[in-house]
């Protein structure tokens, strides 16, 4: 396993990345972290042998505008750190899981549920990498300070990305004063690094290319595949091995995502809107992915009113979370569904779909704020 800066330099040398001053500083910090984590792993052995204590590595909070390379650098660091028990998880997904664990723990009626939950999480991972930390509900806000205090006390090292500096988390949220200790905790315990250079690299990769392809067919598929490879840096020659994943929807249900990489998901229209699905499913998709590719959107008529209604709900969720949409369809948005139940309401969806193709929309950050 090589260190973070060596990997970063290799990507620069290969022309995959362009030099970026903020990124260079972040790489130095991530390298420091990777080195300390390794020392801790080695030192754990030393301290068992000689009773010497190795200080806990200081975690990192990377924040900045969209497309600045936060997730990319975090992934690079994640792959580089020589820690066996490590976990990378989307922050929203992690919090859903925390609430579920707390619920189970409360049933035991053994007092404060947070310490045992933190202990269990720490037992699974010494190194936690969170992507897209955003706090927009009071249930999360109220427990975060105590949860993270416990996690750090259990020896967990945290790296996280966010579109906001710590002081702007949960801004204007309900009972924000109860949340402030979490901000102080982050500012005290983590190294806070802005990654806020002038270039939105994602927009650069999306920009100039259409995002809505008509009609469905090999040409559209090829264009969308190229966009997927561009966005994820995945080698096109390895197309047969693009990873898939299962998105947890709650209630024990899963949604299979046939292509799932670096916050980008590919779905067929059939899978998303051809089956009985509803707002919570679409919300899970919108929260989890910053970019969604949908292929096979048909032209719909009165007999497709269910599909059309689901599609409306889906697009509302994506739009509200500022998810970037790339699509292949048999018609332009305004001609997708012109007659049938809800065709009038569909006009708003068509208008949103058009807005979602604009440079301005594409330049917005992912998230519900
Ligand atoms: N220095 C760079 N040169 C060229 N491309 C880059 C550079 N840094 C990042 N990228 C690319 O830009 C895209 C966006 O990067 P990334 O997903 O890491 O952004 P982000 O900061 O996490 O954005 P968001 O806040 O929306 O999650 C990725 O495809 C990434 O590989
Ligand atoms: Mg990101």
């Amino acid at each position: 396993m090589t260190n973070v800066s060596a990997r970063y330099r290799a990507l620069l040398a290969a022309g995959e990345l362009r030099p970026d001053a903020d990124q260079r500083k972040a790489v130095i910090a991530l390298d420091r972290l990777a080195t300390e984590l390794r020392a801790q792993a080695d030192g754990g052995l030393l301290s068992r042998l000689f009773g010497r204590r190795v200080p806990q590595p200081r975690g990192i909070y990377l924040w900045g505008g969209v497309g600045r390379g936060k997730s990319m650098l975090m992934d690079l660091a994640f792959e580089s750190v020589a820690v066996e028990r490590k976990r990378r998880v989307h922050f929203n997904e992690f919090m859903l899981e925390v609430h579920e664990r707390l619920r189970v723990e409360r049933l035991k009626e053994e007092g404060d549920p947070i310490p045992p939950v933190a202990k269990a999480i720490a037992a699974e991972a010494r190194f936690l990498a969170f992507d897209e930390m955003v706090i927009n509900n009071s249930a999360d806000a109220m427990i975060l300070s105590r949860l993270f205090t416990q996690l750090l006390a259990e020896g967990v090292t945290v790296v996280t990305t966010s579109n906001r500096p710590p002081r702007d988390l949960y801004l204007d949220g309900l009972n924000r004063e109860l949340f402030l200790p979490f901000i102080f905790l982050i500012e005290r315990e983590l190294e806070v690094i802005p990654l806020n250079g002038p270039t939105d690299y994602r927009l650069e990769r999306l920009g100039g290319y259409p995002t809505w392809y008509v009609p469905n067919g090999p040409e559209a598929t090829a264009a969308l595949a190229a966009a997927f490879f561009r966005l994820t840096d995945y080698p096109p020659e390895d197309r047969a091995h693009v990873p898939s994943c299962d998105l947890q929807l709650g209630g024990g249900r899963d949604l299979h995502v046939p292509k799932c990489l670096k916050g980008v998901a590919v779905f067929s229209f059939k899978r998303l809107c051809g089956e009985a699905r509803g707002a919570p499913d679409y919300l899970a998709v919108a929260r989890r992915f910053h970019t969604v590719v949908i292929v096979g959107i048909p032209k719909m008529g009165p007999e497709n009113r269910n599909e059309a209604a689901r599609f409306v709900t889906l697009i509302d969720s994506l739009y509200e979370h500022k998810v970037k949409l790339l699509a292949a369809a048999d018609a332009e948005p305004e001609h997708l569904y012109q007659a049938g139940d809800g065709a009038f309401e569909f006009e708003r969806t068509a208008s949103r779909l058009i807005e979602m193709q604009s440079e301005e929309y594409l330049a917005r950050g992912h998230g519900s704020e």
Side-chain angles (χ1 to χ4, degrees):
M1 229 170 285
T2 51
N3 59 26
V4 188
S5 50
R7 286 181 177 223
Y8 184 72
R9 276 199 306 270
L11 291 170
L12 285 174
E16 284 186 30
L17 298 179
R18 293 204 277 116
D20 180 301
D22 277 19
Q23 288 186 0
R24 200 164 39 228
K25 286 185 205 150
V27 164
I28 291 170
L30 291 164
D31 232 358
R32 187 266 307 152
L33 179 70
T35 309
E36 289 178 7
L37 280 164
R38 170 176 298 232
Q40 191 190 38
D42 299 345
L45 185 67
L46 283 183
S47 70
R48 274 200 298 281
L49 291 175
F50 305 112
R52 233 192 306 153
R53 262 192 69 76
V54 179
Q56 189 178 332
R58 189 156 191 237
I60 291 177
Y61 183 103
L62 289 172
W63 71 271
V66 8
R68 271 18 182 218
K70 300 179 296 294
S71 303
M72 183 272 295
L73 288 183
M74 190 175 79
D75 288 344
L76 214 59
F78 186 78
E79 288 158 18
S80 304
V81 300
V83 175
E84 237 172 75
R85 281 180 291 136
K86 57 181 178 178
R87 180 171 179 213
R88 182 205 193 280
V89 60
H90 194 266
F91 185 72
N92 279 328
E93 233 173 280
F94 177 74
M95 289 312 292
L96 289 172
E97 179 190 312
V98 164
H99 286 296
E100 175 56 21
R101 287 183 189 233
L102 289 172
R103 190 186 66 77
V104 172
E105 194 60 40
R106 275 190 206 102
L107 294 175
K108 299 185 189 162
E109 298 189 354
E110 289 173 358
D112 186 357
I114 290 185
V117 166
K119 217 181 214 21
I121 294 168
E124 291 163 14
R126 303 196 58 73
F127 179 55
L128 276 175
F130 296 116
D131 200 20
E132 299 190 0
M133 176 180 278
V134 44
I135 293 116
N136 45 26
N137 66 78
S138 59
D140 289 354
M142 293 307 108
I143 61 165
L144 272 169
S145 165
R146 291 200 304 129
L147 177 70
F148 271 63
T149 302
Q150 292 285 337
L151 285 174
L152 298 183
E154 292 290 339
V156 173
T157 298
V158 169
V159 171
T160 186
T161 77
S162 177
N163 286 129
R164 296 165 167 251
R167 64 174 177 280
D168 288 351
L169 288 171
Y170 197 51
L171 209 60
D172 306 321
L174 205 65
N175 297 324
R176 187 160 189 267
E177 66 286 358
L178 299 178
F179 176 73
L180 295 178
F182 181 64
I183 295 178
F184 303 145
L185 177 82
I186 290 188
E187 289 181 337
R188 195 174 60 237
E189 303 291 341
L190 304 189
E191 186 178 356
V192 177
I193 301 178
L195 205 66
N196 223 0
T199 314
D200 173 350
Y201 294 107
R202 182 175 310 117
L203 182 63
E204 214 174 64
R205 288 174 186 223
L206 278 172
Y209 295 93
T211 54
W212 188 272
Y213 291 87
V214 179
N216 284 298
E219 266 177 54
T221 308
L224 290 173
F228 179 84
F229 296 129
R230 221 168 31 242
L231 282 168
T232 56
D233 275 331
Y234 194 83
E237 56 283 5
D238 216 11
R239 61 181 64 228
H241 303 112
V242 177
S244 63
C245 66
D246 290 301
L247 182 63
Q248 279 160 18
L249 299 175
R253 292 177 317 126
D254 279 351
L255 172 63
H256 183 67
V257 188
K259 292 187 175 53
C260 166
L261 190 62
K262 296 194 177 176
V264 184
V266 181
F267 293 102
S268 66
F269 175 87
K270 243 203 194 117
R271 184 177 300 267
L272 276 183
C273 302
E275 305 164 359
R277 302 205 167 278
D281 302 9
Y282 299 139
L283 189 64
V285 171
R287 281 179 151 180
R288 173 67 182 76
F289 300 106
H290 59 67
T291 304
V292 169
V293 181
I294 305 177
V295 297
I297 302 172
K299 203 167 150 48
M300 292 171 274
E303 70 287 3
N304 308 113
R305 65 189 163 93
N306 291 328
E307 286 89 341
R310 289 186 204 116
F311 188 68
V312 167
T313 312
L314 167 68
I315 297 305
D316 282 346
S317 278
L318 298 183
Y319 179 85
E320 268 151 32
H321 287 76
K322 307 183 185 85
V323 176
K324 314 303 169 274
L325 173 68
L326 302 173
D330 280 334
E332 294 298 337
E334 58 274 36
H335 300 134
L336 269 184
Y337 185 63
Q338 290 172 302
D341 279 353
F344 179 71
E345 286 77 13
F346 198 90
E347 283 179 24
R348 180 176 50 106
T349 301
S351 144
R352 288 191 160 182
L353 287 171
I354 292 164
E355 185 189 339
M356 288 163 89
Q357 299 176 40
S358 70
E359 182 109 345
E360 201 200 343
Y361 180 87
L362 295 172
R364 287 185 200 147
H366 178 215
S368 58
E369 294 170 276

